[in-house]
Amino acid sequence: MDLAGVDFSAPSPEVAQQLIGVTLLVDGVGGRIVEAEAYDASEPASHCYIGLTERNFSMFGPPGRSYVYRSHGLHWCLNVVCREPGHGAGVLIRALEPLAGEADAAGLARMRARRGVDDVRLLCSGPGRLAQALGVTRAHNNLPLDAPPFLLLPREREAEVLAGPRIGISKALELPWRFVEAGSRFLSKPHRG
DNA sequence: GCAGGGATGAACT
DNA sequence: GTTCATCCCTGCA
């Protein structure tokens, strides 16, 4: 399963690393991925750790699809599914650098309207913010990423990627499975080595 | 059936 | 740094 230069059948940490610098659009709105976290059925921080449930079934399906879940009763979070079907693994998309070129002005305006904020650095800097800016909800769960409304575009240049501990979890804190683009202004939190 | 907790974000002090 | 909005899943009765 290869899409936008990313091998989605690889282990999730590899997929997360490869996703940094890739452009993600939903219905034409989005930006470059600058922060992503890997999750796998083998470690307790993952929704997959407990096995297949109604909530996480997407992550046990074929790679290259979406997994969208509700966080804290309020926010939607977008993941991409990786590994082989039945394994249970995914990558949480945590932050985007919003596309800001002249051709993308309409997309930027839609993100600002959905978020209700003007500052471009607050549009997609966090998994809940990102989903709101892109209009992602439960309706986007378990959809293929190589078909509308999703569009993935390969890196235009090499990205310098740093690894560090994941954010907001209480288990498997030792795994350095958060990947960020070095020096990005659009991270949800600064990188820690 | 019910209590506890969470891959968050915003508004506080 | 702390608090809280408020849904869904889990574990235990």
Side-chain angles (χ1 to χ4, degrees):
Chain A
M1 177 67 207
D2 201 274
L3 179 56
V6 179
D7 176 14
F8 283 98
S9 52
S12 53
E14 286 182 32
V15 175
Q17 200 162 8
Q18 291 178 35
L19 278 170
I20 303 301
V22 169
T23 294
L24 166 69
L25 300 176
V26 180
D27 197 21
V29 176
R32 288 176 61 248
I33 298 171
V34 296
E35 179 177 349
E37 284 178 358
Y39 290 87
D40 186 271
S42 63
E43 44 90 12
S46 171
H47 292 171
C48 296
Y49 186 67
I50 53 173
L52 179 66
T53 68
E54 182 73 19
R55 176 210 213 183
N56 66 19
F57 74 94
S58 305
M59 273 200 287
F60 289 86
R65 297 175 76 96
S66 58
Y67 164 52
V68 178
Y69 70 93
R70 176 101 85 169
S71 174
H72 290 258
L74 304 170
H75 312 288
W76 297 103
C77 297
L78 173 65
N79 297 245
V80 302
V81 177
C82 47
R83 288 264 203 167
E84 70 276 14
H87 179 87
V91 174
L92 172 68
I93 310 299
R94 286 191 55 91
L96 302 180
E97 175 180 337
L99 287 183
E102 198 170 324
D104 304 304
L108 212 55
R110 289 181 70 184
M111 288 192 272
R112 286 198 166 107
R114 284 171 176 154
R115 291 275 299 117
V117 299
D118 194 57
D119 186 346
V120 69
R121 289 177 65 170
L122 297 179
L123 290 180
C124 299
S125 300
R129 292 168 172 173
L130 176 162
Q132 187 182 24
L134 272 54
V136 170
T137 69
R138 188 167 206 83
H140 295 81
N141 186 34
N142 199 32
L143 297 179
L145 298 174
D146 59 355
F150 289 105
L151 181 61
L152 286 178
L153 302 172
R155 282 177 180 166
E156 293 179 355
R157 52 187 161 80
E158 278 303 299
E160 186 185 348
V161 179
L162 302 176
R166 293 176 291 183
I167 306 291
I169 55 172
S170 59
K171 298 165 192 162
L173 301 175
E174 73 284 2
L175 293 175
W177 281 8
R178 175 180 184 236
F179 299 90
V180 304
E181 181 176 47
S184 172
R185 300 161 49 235
F186 298 95
L187 305 180
S188 63
K189 288 199 166 67
H191 169 74
R192 303 181 18 229

Short mmCIF file of all heavy atoms in Angstrom, two decimals, chain A residues 92-125:
data_model
loop_
_atom_site.label_atom_id
_atom_site.label_comp_id
_atom_site.label_asym_id
_atom_site.label_seq_id
_atom_site.Cartn_x
_atom_site.Cartn_y
_atom_site.Cartn_z
N LEU A 92 -1.53 9.11 14.43
CA LEU A 92 -2.33 10.29 14.73
C LEU A 92 -1.70 11.51 14.08
O LEU A 92 -0.53 11.82 14.33
CB LEU A 92 -2.40 10.48 16.25
CG LEU A 92 -3.06 11.77 16.74
CD1 LEU A 92 -4.54 11.78 16.44
CD2 LEU A 92 -2.82 11.96 18.23
N ILE A 93 -2.48 12.22 13.26
CA ILE A 93 -2.00 13.47 12.66
C ILE A 93 -2.24 14.58 13.66
O ILE A 93 -3.38 14.91 13.97
CB ILE A 93 -2.74 13.77 11.34
CG1 ILE A 93 -2.73 12.54 10.42
CG2 ILE A 93 -2.13 14.98 10.65
CD1 ILE A 93 -1.37 12.08 10.03
N ARG A 94 -1.15 15.15 14.21
CA ARG A 94 -1.29 16.10 15.32
C ARG A 94 -1.18 17.56 14.92
O ARG A 94 -1.66 18.44 15.66
CB ARG A 94 -0.22 15.81 16.39
CG ARG A 94 -0.49 14.57 17.22
CD ARG A 94 0.46 14.51 18.41
NE ARG A 94 0.38 15.72 19.19
CZ ARG A 94 -0.45 15.87 20.23
NH1 ARG A 94 -1.23 14.90 20.62
NH2 ARG A 94 -0.49 17.01 20.87
N ALA A 95 -0.53 17.88 13.78
CA ALA A 95 -0.42 19.28 13.40
C ALA A 95 -0.09 19.41 11.92
O ALA A 95 0.61 18.58 11.35
CB ALA A 95 0.67 19.98 14.22
N LEU A 96 -0.63 20.45 11.32
CA LEU A 96 -0.35 20.80 9.93
C LEU A 96 0.18 22.22 9.87
O LEU A 96 -0.17 23.06 10.69
CB LEU A 96 -1.62 20.76 9.06
CG LEU A 96 -2.45 19.50 8.95
CD1 LEU A 96 -3.63 19.77 8.03
CD2 LEU A 96 -1.62 18.36 8.43
N GLU A 97 1.01 22.46 8.83
CA GLU A 97 1.35 23.82 8.45
C GLU A 97 0.34 24.21 7.37
O GLU A 97 0.39 23.67 6.27
CB GLU A 97 2.78 23.87 7.90
CG GLU A 97 3.16 25.22 7.36
CD GLU A 97 4.59 25.21 6.82
OE1 GLU A 97 5.38 24.35 7.24
OE2 GLU A 97 4.89 26.06 5.97
N PRO A 98 -0.59 25.11 7.67
CA PRO A 98 -1.66 25.41 6.71
C PRO A 98 -1.09 25.91 5.39
O PRO A 98 -0.14 26.70 5.37
CB PRO A 98 -2.47 26.52 7.41
CG PRO A 98 -2.15 26.37 8.86
CD PRO A 98 -0.73 25.88 8.91
N LEU A 99 -1.66 25.46 4.28
CA LEU A 99 -1.26 25.96 2.98
C LEU A 99 -1.68 27.41 2.87
O LEU A 99 -2.83 27.75 3.12
CB LEU A 99 -1.91 25.15 1.86
CG LEU A 99 -1.34 23.74 1.68
CD1 LEU A 99 -2.04 23.06 0.49
CD2 LEU A 99 0.14 23.78 1.46
N ALA A 100 -0.72 28.26 2.52
CA ALA A 100 -0.98 29.69 2.58
C ALA A 100 -0.66 30.41 1.27
O ALA A 100 -0.60 31.62 1.24
CB ALA A 100 -0.17 30.32 3.71
N GLY A 101 -0.45 29.64 0.20
CA GLY A 101 -0.16 30.28 -1.08
C GLY A 101 -1.38 31.00 -1.63
O GLY A 101 -2.49 30.86 -1.11
N GLU A 102 -1.17 31.75 -2.69
CA GLU A 102 -2.27 32.54 -3.27
C GLU A 102 -3.42 31.63 -3.69
O GLU A 102 -4.60 31.93 -3.47
CB GLU A 102 -1.76 33.33 -4.47
CG GLU A 102 -2.67 34.47 -4.87
CD GLU A 102 -2.00 35.35 -5.91
OE1 GLU A 102 -0.77 35.54 -5.82
OE2 GLU A 102 -2.71 35.84 -6.79
N ALA A 103 -3.07 30.47 -4.26
CA ALA A 103 -4.10 29.55 -4.74
C ALA A 103 -4.87 28.92 -3.58
O ALA A 103 -5.94 28.35 -3.78
CB ALA A 103 -3.47 28.47 -5.60
N ASP A 104 -4.32 29.00 -2.36
CA ASP A 104 -4.93 28.34 -1.21
C ASP A 104 -5.67 29.31 -0.30
O ASP A 104 -6.08 28.95 0.80
CB ASP A 104 -3.86 27.62 -0.40
CG ASP A 104 -3.09 26.65 -1.26
OD1 ASP A 104 -3.73 25.79 -1.87
OD2 ASP A 104 -1.87 26.78 -1.34
N ALA A 105 -5.83 30.55 -0.75
CA ALA A 105 -6.47 31.56 0.11
C ALA A 105 -7.88 31.14 0.51
O ALA A 105 -8.30 31.35 1.65
CB ALA A 105 -6.51 32.91 -0.61
N ALA A 106 -8.60 30.50 -0.39
CA ALA A 106 -9.96 30.07 -0.08
C ALA A 106 -9.95 29.01 1.01
O ALA A 106 -10.78 29.02 1.92
CB ALA A 106 -10.66 29.55 -1.33
N GLY A 107 -8.99 28.08 0.92
CA GLY A 107 -8.88 27.03 1.94
C GLY A 107 -8.54 27.62 3.30
O GLY A 107 -9.09 27.21 4.33
N LEU A 108 -7.65 28.59 3.30
CA LEU A 108 -7.27 29.26 4.55
C LEU A 108 -8.48 29.96 5.16
O LEU A 108 -8.69 29.91 6.38
CB LEU A 108 -6.15 30.27 4.25
CG LEU A 108 -5.11 30.53 5.32
CD1 LEU A 108 -4.44 29.23 5.76
CD2 LEU A 108 -4.06 31.50 4.78
N ALA A 109 -9.27 30.59 4.32
CA ALA A 109 -10.47 31.28 4.81
C ALA A 109 -11.46 30.29 5.42
O ALA A 109 -12.08 30.57 6.45
CB ALA A 109 -11.13 32.06 3.67
N ARG A 110 -11.59 29.10 4.81
CA ARG A 110 -12.51 28.10 5.36
C ARG A 110 -12.02 27.60 6.71
O ARG A 110 -12.81 27.37 7.63
CB ARG A 110 -12.65 26.93 4.39
CG ARG A 110 -13.43 27.29 3.14
CD ARG A 110 -13.57 26.12 2.21
NE ARG A 110 -14.47 25.10 2.73
CZ ARG A 110 -14.69 23.93 2.13
NH1 ARG A 110 -14.08 23.66 1.00
NH2 ARG A 110 -15.52 23.06 2.64
N MET A 111 -10.70 27.40 6.83
CA MET A 111 -10.15 26.95 8.11
C MET A 111 -10.38 28.00 9.19
O MET A 111 -10.76 27.68 10.33
CB MET A 111 -8.66 26.63 7.97
CG MET A 111 -8.40 25.36 7.18
SD MET A 111 -6.69 24.78 7.30
CE MET A 111 -5.92 25.67 5.96
N ARG A 112 -10.15 29.26 8.86
CA ARG A 112 -10.36 30.34 9.85
C ARG A 112 -11.83 30.40 10.27
O ARG A 112 -12.13 30.60 11.45
CB ARG A 112 -9.94 31.69 9.25
CG ARG A 112 -8.45 31.87 9.16
CD ARG A 112 -8.10 33.35 8.98
NE ARG A 112 -6.68 33.57 9.22
CZ ARG A 112 -5.80 33.83 8.26
NH1 ARG A 112 -6.18 33.92 7.00
NH2 ARG A 112 -4.53 34.01 8.56
N ALA A 113 -12.74 30.24 9.31
CA ALA A 113 -14.16 30.31 9.61
C ALA A 113 -14.57 29.15 10.51
O ALA A 113 -15.31 29.32 11.49
CB ALA A 113 -14.97 30.29 8.32
N ARG A 114 -14.08 27.93 10.21
CA ARG A 114 -14.45 26.77 11.02
C ARG A 114 -13.88 26.88 12.43
O ARG A 114 -14.53 26.49 13.40
CB ARG A 114 -13.91 25.49 10.36
CG ARG A 114 -14.70 25.03 9.16
CD ARG A 114 -13.94 23.91 8.47
NE ARG A 114 -14.69 23.36 7.35
CZ ARG A 114 -14.10 22.75 6.30
NH1 ARG A 114 -12.79 22.65 6.26
NH2 ARG A 114 -14.82 22.26 5.33
N ARG A 115 -12.67 27.41 12.56
CA ARG A 115 -12.00 27.48 13.86
C ARG A 115 -12.45 28.69 14.66
O ARG A 115 -12.34 28.70 15.89
CB ARG A 115 -10.48 27.51 13.66
CG ARG A 115 -9.89 26.21 13.14
CD ARG A 115 -9.59 25.23 14.27
NE ARG A 115 -8.63 25.79 15.19
CZ ARG A 115 -8.88 26.05 16.48
NH1 ARG A 115 -10.04 25.76 16.98
NH2 ARG A 115 -7.95 26.57 17.24
N GLY A 116 -12.87 29.74 13.97
CA GLY A 116 -13.26 30.94 14.68
C GLY A 116 -12.08 31.72 15.22
O GLY A 116 -12.23 32.49 16.16
N VAL A 117 -10.89 31.49 14.66
CA VAL A 117 -9.71 32.25 15.04
C VAL A 117 -9.01 32.74 13.78
O VAL A 117 -9.18 32.18 12.70
CB VAL A 117 -8.71 31.42 15.88
CG1 VAL A 117 -9.34 30.96 17.16
CG2 VAL A 117 -8.18 30.25 15.09
N ASP A 118 -8.21 33.78 13.94
CA ASP A 118 -7.54 34.39 12.79
C ASP A 118 -6.09 33.94 12.67
O ASP A 118 -5.58 33.78 11.57
CB ASP A 118 -7.61 35.92 12.94
CG ASP A 118 -7.25 36.61 11.63
OD1 ASP A 118 -7.93 36.31 10.63
OD2 ASP A 118 -6.31 37.40 11.62
N ASP A 119 -5.44 33.72 13.83
CA ASP A 119 -4.02 33.39 13.86
C ASP A 119 -3.75 32.07 13.14
O ASP A 119 -4.24 31.01 13.56
CB ASP A 119 -3.56 33.32 15.32
CG ASP A 119 -2.05 33.13 15.45
OD1 ASP A 119 -1.39 32.80 14.44
OD2 ASP A 119 -1.54 33.33 16.56
N VAL A 120 -2.94 32.11 12.09
CA VAL A 120 -2.68 30.93 11.29
C VAL A 120 -1.99 29.83 12.11
O VAL A 120 -2.12 28.64 11.82
CB VAL A 120 -1.84 31.30 10.04
CG1 VAL A 120 -0.43 31.69 10.44
CG2 VAL A 120 -1.83 30.17 9.04
N ARG A 121 -1.29 30.25 13.17
CA ARG A 121 -0.61 29.25 14.00
C ARG A 121 -1.56 28.51 14.92
O ARG A 121 -1.18 27.53 15.53
CB ARG A 121 0.50 29.93 14.81
CG ARG A 121 1.65 30.37 13.91
CD ARG A 121 2.72 31.10 14.68
NE ARG A 121 3.39 30.26 15.67
CZ ARG A 121 4.48 30.64 16.33
NH1 ARG A 121 5.00 31.83 16.09
NH2 ARG A 121 5.03 29.84 17.20
N LEU A 122 -2.79 28.97 15.05
CA LEU A 122 -3.77 28.28 15.89
C LEU A 122 -4.79 27.49 15.07
O LEU A 122 -5.73 26.92 15.62
CB LEU A 122 -4.51 29.30 16.77
CG LEU A 122 -3.63 30.05 17.78
CD1 LEU A 122 -4.45 31.06 18.57
CD2 LEU A 122 -2.94 29.07 18.72
N LEU A 123 -4.59 27.42 13.76
CA LEU A 123 -5.58 26.75 12.92
C LEU A 123 -5.50 25.23 13.03
O LEU A 123 -6.51 24.55 13.15
CB LEU A 123 -5.41 27.16 11.45
CG LEU A 123 -5.80 28.60 11.12
CD1 LEU A 123 -5.58 28.85 9.63
CD2 LEU A 123 -7.24 28.87 11.49
N CYS A 124 -4.27 24.69 12.96
CA CYS A 124 -4.09 23.23 12.85
C CYS A 124 -3.04 22.70 13.80
O CYS A 124 -2.50 21.62 13.58
CB CYS A 124 -3.68 22.87 11.42
SG CYS A 124 -4.88 23.30 10.17
N SER A 125 -2.70 23.43 14.89
CA SER A 125 -1.62 23.04 15.79
C SER A 125 -2.15 22.20 16.95
O SER A 125 -2.17 22.64 18.09
CB SER A 125 -0.90 24.29 16.31
OG SER A 125 -0.38 25.00 15.22
#
